[in-house]
């Protein structure tokens, strides 16, 4: 069940303001609330199920069924969020057509919620029958007030850290000025308990009484590169409403200051990954805004692996570092023994002594991580006592732990949703070649709303992912599968949600993808060139996609067909109404079918290096949610349809290297959200369209210019206050000093 977005569902989707608004409009919030307890009950047993699945087929079956169910839950929630709501209502509220559609949609959702409730209840019952162990810390929302009791009963060896930080807070509050300040909790490794300590602070009785607002934001690897998004989330929590409608960040912070008044807040930014690459100004501005709103004594707590670099780079007066140590030996062994001694072995003195001796040996060689203690203990708990010596030999060092069967799955499962999904995509099709697929992985994340587009930086992400310190081989779960194509007898489990097909010399898709009653839960389909083909720069020989395949894969969200020899898409592409990411790069496709306009949820469309591609369809404007359009090196592309200017949500347009490209549409100024425009190496493009200076959100512009027209280009771009990177080419003829600030 690794990689399932259950925590994303529970902690991100369900509590979101958009979800609350849609549920109120559709009057389904009470019905939705009925399935939440079962979702938490399933979440509570995932870790134990993950550990046991490798040796217990019935548990593995439960995991596969649970993974498919959670994928269907997320699909259902996405449909609710995608309902246009009142914004799409006609001016006449009595319009029969609109009301009819709304009623039909509501009835459909209610029917699915009822069916989903029965399905989840059955999964909980089966999990109980399998005696899956519940993790109390995974059984409820960690921001609920009752969670403090769970922390008190479950956490080992962190009381001193909690008390030390509370003392720092109290001392700061009692100082003469009581100014807002920042505490950074750090440790150089993941899984050392930084988040747990932060939870203990969040729920401490003194903190509850002292702060008027307590706000928790899981930053992970995306928002850290976009601190503006953190500011928006903070503002949403304070005001209780989305602040996206405000025209400027200044207006947003004025509203926050007005709503907060002199009330104190505690903001916890959990799991910040910080790098020096162009982030200092953004973080300085965020911290400056945070520390000038709210009452005296307001506090920001940050947990991170990189606090020393983070602290040095920010100009924060009075910032305090708190270096979190590993668990003490006694606490680590206690946690290990607690996990291991569940079952009949508890009364066996010899067994207890054996475990104690093993734990003492391991503590000397490990990083005293609480997660490693629990993982090692679990390995014994699920093994017969007579085989404990074999387990001890296999887990005699940290390097052996990472190679232990299913340790990868455990690691993937305990990761936050965003890096877990990134690792899932890497495991499906990366095979260690991360540098070759960085952009593809990131675009998949953007399409799935797990990363904001404006935060994407390929160079930064290339450096970030190895820091996750997890290297996965091909994963063998029914929920996700990487398998070689080449014979029609390929088996694809019905529960499979994410599939990568490795192509050798096959020329047709397996019939399992298009057969009636076949694979209907598939959300990701990646056609990956075999390593030998990839390194040789060759394309796979698949030239045609069966029309029946798209009729069957109606829940598909990610479709990667790069480096195929397909020349056209079947008209059934319009059936993929859930599709968010479509990659046709390096194919022989010549045109897109008109039915592509049915893909109302498409966010990423990639046609780079399609040398036979000639033009976009006039109906391209119907893809209202499109964020990124990649057309680089489409050699026969000459212009874009004027209708493209209706894509008001488009944030990136790339036509680099289209040597016969002669004209950008004049209405480009209507695309107000455009942040990246790449027209570099378009040697036939003689001028930029009038009004490009109105693209106020434009941050990066790559353009082919000469010394003759550079001055006019710079004059046109003077009004672009957000422009951070300008890449003009052929500057060798420029007069000296022309580009000086």
């Amino acid at each position: 069940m690794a990689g399932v977005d259950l925590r994303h569902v529970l902690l991100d989707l369900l509590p979101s303001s958009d979800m609350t608004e849609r549920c109120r409009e559709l009057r389904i919030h009470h019905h939705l609330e009925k399935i939440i307890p079962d979702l938490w009950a399933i979440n509570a047993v995932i870790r134990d199920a993950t550990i046991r699945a490798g040796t217990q087929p019935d548990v593995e079956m439960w995991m596969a069924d649970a993974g498919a169910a959670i994928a269907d839950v997320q699909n259902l929630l996405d449909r609710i969020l995608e309902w246009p709501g009142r914004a799409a209502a006609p001016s006449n509220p009595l319009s029969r057509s609109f009301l009819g559609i709304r009623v039909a949609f509501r009835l459909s959702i209610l029917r699915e919620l009822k069916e989903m409730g029965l399905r989840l209840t059955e999964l909980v019952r089966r999990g109980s029958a399998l005696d899956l162990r519940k993790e109390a810390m995974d059984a409820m929302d960690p921001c609920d007030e009752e969670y403090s009791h769970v922390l008190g009963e479950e956490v080992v060896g962190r009381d001193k850290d909690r008390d030390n930080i509370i003392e720092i807070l109290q001392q700061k509050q009692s100082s003469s000025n009581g100014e807002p300040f920042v505490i950074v909790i750090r440790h150089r490794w993941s899984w050392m308990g930084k988040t747990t300590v932060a939870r203990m602070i969040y729920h401490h009785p003194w903190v509850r009484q002292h702060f008027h607002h307590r706000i928790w934001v899981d930053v992970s690897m995306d928002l850290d590169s976009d601190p503006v998004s953190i500011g928006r989330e903070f503002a949403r929590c304070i005001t209780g409403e989305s602040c996206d409608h405000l025209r400027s960040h200044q207006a947003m912070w004025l509203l926050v200051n007005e709503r907060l008044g002199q009330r104190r807040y505690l903001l916890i930014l959990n799991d910040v990954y910080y790098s020096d690459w162009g982030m200092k100004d953004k973080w300085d501005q965020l911290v400056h805004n945070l520390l000038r709103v709210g009452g005296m004594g307001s506090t920001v707590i940050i947990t991170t692996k990189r606090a020393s670099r983070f602290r040095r780079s920010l100009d924060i007066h009075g910032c305090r570092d708190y270096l979190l140590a590993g668990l003490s030996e006694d606490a680590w062994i206690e946690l290990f023994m607690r996990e291991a001694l569940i079952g009949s072995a508890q009364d066996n003195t010899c067994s207890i002594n054996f475990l104690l001796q093993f734990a003492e040996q391991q503590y000397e060689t490990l990083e005293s991580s609480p997660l490693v203690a629990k993982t090692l203990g679990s390995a014994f708990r699920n093994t017969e006592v007579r085989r404990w010596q074999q387990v001890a030999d296999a887990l005699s060092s940290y390097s052996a732990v990472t190679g232990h069967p299913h340790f990868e799955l455990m690691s993937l499962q305990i990761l936050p949703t965003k890096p877990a999904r990134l690792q899932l995509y890497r495991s499906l099709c990366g095979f260690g070649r991360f540098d070759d697929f960085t952009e593809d992985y990131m675009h998949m994340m953007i399409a799935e709303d797990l990363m904001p587009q404006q935060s994407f930086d390929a160079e930064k992400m290339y450096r970030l992912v190895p820091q996750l310190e997890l290297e996965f081989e091909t994963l063998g779960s029914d929920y996700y599968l990487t398998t070689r194509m080449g014979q029609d007898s390929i088996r694809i489990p019905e529960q499979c949600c994410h599939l990568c097909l490795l192509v050798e010399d096959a020329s047709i898709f397996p019939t399992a993808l298009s057969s009636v009653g076949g694979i209907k839960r598939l959300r990701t389909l990646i056609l990956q060139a075999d390593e030998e083909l990839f390194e040789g720069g060759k394309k796979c020989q698949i030239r045609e996609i069966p029309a029946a395949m798209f009729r069957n894969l109606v829940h598909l969200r990610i479709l990667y067909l790069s480096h195929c020899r397909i020349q056209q898409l079947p008209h059934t592409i319009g059936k993929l109404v859930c599709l968010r990411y479509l990659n046709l790069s390096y194919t022989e496709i010549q045109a897109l079918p008109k039915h592509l306009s049915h893909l109302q949820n498409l966010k990423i469309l990639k046609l780079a290096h399609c040398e036979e591609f000639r033009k976009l369809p006039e109906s391209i404007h119907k893809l209202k949610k499109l964020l990124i359009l990649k057309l680089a090196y489409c050699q026969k592309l000459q212009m874009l349809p004027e209708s493209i200017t209706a894509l008001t949500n488009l944030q990136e347009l790339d036509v680099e290297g289209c040597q016969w490209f002669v004209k950008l549409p004049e209405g480009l100024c209507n695309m107000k959200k455009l942040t990246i425009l790449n027209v570099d190496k378009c040697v036939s493009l003689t001028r930029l369209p009038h009004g490009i200076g109105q693209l106020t959100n434009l941050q990066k512009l790559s353009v082919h210019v000469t010394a003759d027209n550079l001055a006019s280009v710079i004059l046109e771009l003077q009004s672009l206050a957000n422009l951070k990177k300008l890449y003009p080419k052929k500057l060798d003829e420029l007069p000296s000093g022309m580009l000086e600030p």
Side-chain angles (χ1 to χ4, degrees), residues 303-321:
T303 71
T304 179
K305 289 196 300 182
R306 298 247 174 151
S308 55
R309 177 186 293 179
F310 185 87
R311 172 65 188 89
R312 288 195 305 268
S313 67
L314 295 181
D315 183 18
I316 307 174
H317 176 70
C319 177
R320 291 285 300 270
D321 262 359

Side-chain angles (χ1 to χ4, degrees), residues 287-503:
V287 173
H288 172 74
N289 287 326
L290 287 171
L291 298 188
R292 66 185 179 89
V293 298
M296 303 295 281
S298 295
T299 301
V300 179
I301 294 180
I302 298 169
T303 71
T304 179
K305 289 196 300 182
R306 298 247 174 151
S308 55
R309 177 186 293 179
F310 185 87
R311 172 65 188 89
R312 288 195 305 268
S313 67
L314 295 181
D315 183 18
I316 307 174
H317 176 70
C319 177
R320 291 285 300 270
D321 262 359
Y322 188 86
L323 178 59
L324 190 67
L327 289 181
S328 68
E329 183 174 5
D330 289 344
W332 194 91
I333 292 176
E334 179 184 346
L335 189 58
F336 169 88
M337 296 295 288
R338 177 192 293 181
E339 289 293 316
L341 293 178
I342 297 176
S344 59
Q346 293 188 48
D347 298 327
N348 189 321
T349 303
C350 293
S351 299
I352 293 176
N353 290 336
F354 175 86
L355 290 175
L356 283 172
Q357 183 179 4
F358 174 80
E360 290 169 355
Q361 293 172 348
Q362 292 307 302
Y363 182 79
E364 299 297 327
T365 60
L366 299 176
E367 290 288 342
S368 59
S369 161
L371 178 63
V372 173
K374 296 179 73 173
T375 302
L376 289 174
S378 299
F380 288 96
R381 184 182 76 229
N382 296 290
T383 306
E384 296 176 353
V385 175
R386 62 185 178 82
R387 295 182 57 237
W388 277 6
Q389 185 60 58
Q390 293 176 262
V391 174
D393 293 340
L395 303 179
S396 59
S397 68
Y398 184 73
S399 59
V401 173
T402 58
H404 185 262
H406 311 296
F407 185 84
E408 295 92 344
L409 302 185
M410 290 184 282
S411 302
L412 187 59
Q413 180 54 52
I414 57 85
L415 278 172
T417 295
K418 298 172 183 66
R421 178 57 70 87
L422 178 60
Q423 290 288 14
L424 175 60
Y425 290 142
R426 291 184 69 202
S427 300
L428 280 172
C429 60
F431 294 100
R433 302 194 302 265
F434 180 73
D435 53 335
D436 296 312
F437 294 93
T438 304
E439 183 181 85
D440 293 323
Y441 297 148
M442 296 306 107
H443 284 167
M444 291 176 188
M445 299 285 286
I446 292 167
E448 290 280 38
D449 296 327
L450 294 173
M451 178 178 294
Q453 190 273 339
Q454 59 268 29
S455 76
F456 170 61
D457 186 319
E459 182 180 1
K460 175 181 181 293
M461 297 312 297
Y462 178 73
R463 291 178 170 85
L464 182 151
V465 176
Q467 297 298 325
L468 295 175
E469 299 162 6
L470 295 173
E471 294 294 337
F472 297 103
E473 302 297 332
T474 302
L475 301 177
S477 167
D478 282 355
Y479 180 71
Y480 39 82
L481 177 67
T482 296
T483 187
R484 293 188 178 276
M485 258 176 68
Q487 50 186 356
D488 201 50
S489 59
I490 182 174
R491 176 188 173 271
I492 303 175
E494 181 182 352
Q495 299 91 344
C496 187
C497 290
H498 304 278
L499 174 66
C500 175
L501 294 175
L502 293 175
V503 180

Side-chain angles (χ1 to χ4, degrees), residues 440-604:
D440 293 323
Y441 297 148
M442 296 306 107
H443 284 167
M444 291 176 188
M445 299 285 286
I446 292 167
E448 290 280 38
D449 296 327
L450 294 173
M451 178 178 294
Q453 190 273 339
Q454 59 268 29
S455 76
F456 170 61
D457 186 319
E459 182 180 1
K460 175 181 181 293
M461 297 312 297
Y462 178 73
R463 291 178 170 85
L464 182 151
V465 176
Q467 297 298 325
L468 295 175
E469 299 162 6
L470 295 173
E471 294 294 337
F472 297 103
E473 302 297 332
T474 302
L475 301 177
S477 167
D478 282 355
Y479 180 71
Y480 39 82
L481 177 67
T482 296
T483 187
R484 293 188 178 276
M485 258 176 68
Q487 50 186 356
D488 201 50
S489 59
I490 182 174
R491 176 188 173 271
I492 303 175
E494 181 182 352
Q495 299 91 344
C496 187
C497 290
H498 304 278
L499 174 66
C500 175
L501 294 175
L502 293 175
V503 180
E504 295 175 327
D505 55 358
S507 59
I508 59 173
F509 280 91
T511 56
L513 290 174
S514 53
S515 60
V516 176
I519 313 306
K520 293 187 176 181
R521 290 196 174 97
L522 207 62
R523 297 174 64 190
T524 301
L525 175 58
I526 297 172
L527 196 68
Q528 176 69 48
D530 179 80
E531 190 164 357
E532 184 175 340
L533 284 175
F534 181 85
E535 292 179 352
K538 299 178 182 179
K539 295 181 180 179
C540 69
Q541 295 303 308
I542 291 180
R543 296 174 180 267
E544 184 179 357
I545 298 175
M549 190 177 83
F550 286 158
R551 291 194 187 98
N552 202 38
L553 304 180
V554 293
H555 295 299
L556 204 63
R557 297 158 71 98
I558 303 291
L559 180 57
Y560 182 98
L561 298 173
S562 181
H563 292 85
C564 294
R565 302 197 65 181
I566 56 175
Q567 298 181 0
Q568 61 182 5
L569 294 174
H571 68 277
T572 52
I573 185 73
K575 299 291 185 182
L576 304 183
V577 293
C578 296
L579 197 66
R580 296 184 172 203
Y581 172 97
L582 176 59
N583 192 335
L584 298 167
S585 299
Y586 294 93
T587 63
E588 298 178 5
I589 197 161
Q590 300 177 20
L592 296 173
K594 62 180 181 180
H595 296 85
L596 192 81
S597 62
H598 296 171
L599 307 183
Q600 296 296 301
N601 291 302
L602 192 65
K603 297 186 178 183
I604 315 288

Side-chain angles (χ1 to χ4, degrees), residues 113-247:
L113 280 173
K114 182 178 179 179
E115 294 173 356
M116 185 58 65
L118 295 174
R119 189 173 166 190
L120 294 175
T121 299
E122 175 63 14
L123 281 169
V124 173
R125 185 198 65 77
R126 286 172 55 193
S128 178
L130 292 170
D131 198 26
L132 295 177
R133 179 172 180 256
K134 294 181 179 179
E135 295 281 347
M137 295 180 68
D138 295 330
M140 64 185 301
D141 188 339
C143 286
D144 283 354
E145 298 305 321
E146 295 300 316
Y147 197 74
S148 59
H149 301 301
V150 175
L151 291 170
E153 295 175 358
E154 297 294 320
V155 178
V156 174
R158 290 304 186 192
D159 290 353
K160 183 177 180 181
D161 294 300
R162 175 201 62 199
D163 295 341
N164 288 343
I165 295 174
I166 291 296
E167 184 177 354
I168 293 172
L169 288 172
Q170 292 173 336
Q171 290 176 352
K172 191 67 178 179
Q173 306 302 321
S174 62
S175 63
S176 57
N177 53 32
E179 295 177 351
F181 74 111
V182 177
I183 295 178
V184 182
I185 303 174
R186 65 184 177 94
H187 193 284
R188 66 192 181 99
W189 297 114
S190 300
W191 309 339
M192 296 304 295
K194 299 183 292 295
T195 297
T196 298
V197 172
R199 294 284 186 201
M200 297 172 77
I201 303 301
Y202 182 90
H203 286 288
H204 193 275
W206 179 83
V207 169
R208 291 185 186 180
Q209 295 175 4
H210 187 75
F211 293 97
H212 302 95
H213 295 275
R214 291 174 297 140
I215 302 165
W216 183 283
V217 177
D218 285 309
V219 179
S220 192
M221 67 181 186
D222 56 349
L223 293 182
D224 71 297
S225 54
D226 186 15
V228 173
S229 298
I230 297 175
R232 288 199 189 99
E233 177 63 15
F234 175 77
R236 186 192 67 79
C237 293
I238 294 298
T239 63
E241 58 193 50
S242 172
C243 294
D244 292 342
H245 65 284
L246 298 177
R247 295 183 179 180

